[in-house]
Amino acid sequence: MTNRRTFIKNLSMLTLGGIANQSLMASNALPTPSIAAATGSAAKKKMGLQTYSLGQELLQDLPNGLNRLAQMGFTDLEIFGYQENTGQFGDYNPKNTTFVSAKDYKKMVDDAGLKISSSHLTPSVREYTKANMSKFEDFWKKATDIHAELGVSYMVQPSLPHIANEDDAKQVCEIFNRAGEITRQAGILWGYHNHNNEFKRVLKAGEKPNENPNPWAPPKGTYIEELFLKNTDPDKVMFELDVYWAVMGQQDPIEWMENYPDRFKLLHIKDRWILGDSGMMNFPNIFKKAYEIGILGYYVELEGDKKGRTQFEGVEKSAEYLRNADFVK
Ligand code: MG
């Protein structure tokens, strides 16, 4: 576990002052950010990648893969594949044979000049009940100790528990709050990452849907994402907004950031595959709003149809998009 001094230091890095310093640095950067990022000779853009985007292509040769990512201009990684039983990191792909300890992973990433700032993980316990609270506590306590070794700032759950009504959501939020309390003791912020199902509406327990709804009236019920935002403690739980999955859930990610400016601390920057290729995502406006609300970081994520290309090709093209985007600091 991290001691109190490191905890305070970590927390102060998460303040808006930290962000202001970063934008000051960015404004002093060379006017050609793509060259700056490629050479590393000037203040670099802060560019994060969720390593799930590369899966086995990265894990099969971690040292070389990590070097390639640094050359593309990435500075931060959000990893995945925490193994609850062994405390190692790998891939959920059954064919995967690479598993690394926190210590070895950190060393490899340090050697490449990168930083693991975040990690995605989900407890294997699926029943979010009071009776299971101690199982969730055990999961998050062990995971926090291991992630403190990695030096992460954020631990993020990307999977939605089963929720049939508002009461279920409130019960889940109690467990999220407890998880956040546990990670916070190590100076790590706990977060929740959405897909599109969080933008489904649920009713109160026992409430019935309208039998003959007026097709123009807003549907009954509350979005699960909104129930999570309203029933978690802002001191313990933050949110990582996956902007692509929000759009897939028929939402405007900018509106969510606007409505909850203090709760969304991280973003997943994602498109149908390569960033900027689909025409579905308004990244200039998304980044503008993200900086406005003081977002702490973002991670690029790719999944989906590669059309015969490698995952590295997709990530490389996406990195190029961000390096050349004048709206990315
Ligand atoms: Mg995502």
Side-chain angles (χ1 to χ4, degrees), residues 50 78 120 158 193-195 240-243 245 268-270 299 301 303:
Q50 164 53 251
E78 179 181 71
H120 270 199
H193 160 288
N194 66 280
H195 289 87
E240 182 177 61
L241 180 64
D242 187 310
V243 294
W245 283 117
H268 263 197
I269 293 296
K270 180 169 159 59
Y299 302 95
E301 184 181 48
E303 61 185 323

Side-chain angles (χ1 to χ4, degrees), residues 168-178 227-228 231-232:
D168 290 349
K170 284 177 186 164
Q171 178 58 53
V172 164
C173 287
E174 250 182 67
I175 291 166
F176 285 178
N177 281 334
R178 185 67 189 114
L227 291 169
F228 283 176
N231 290 289
T232 49

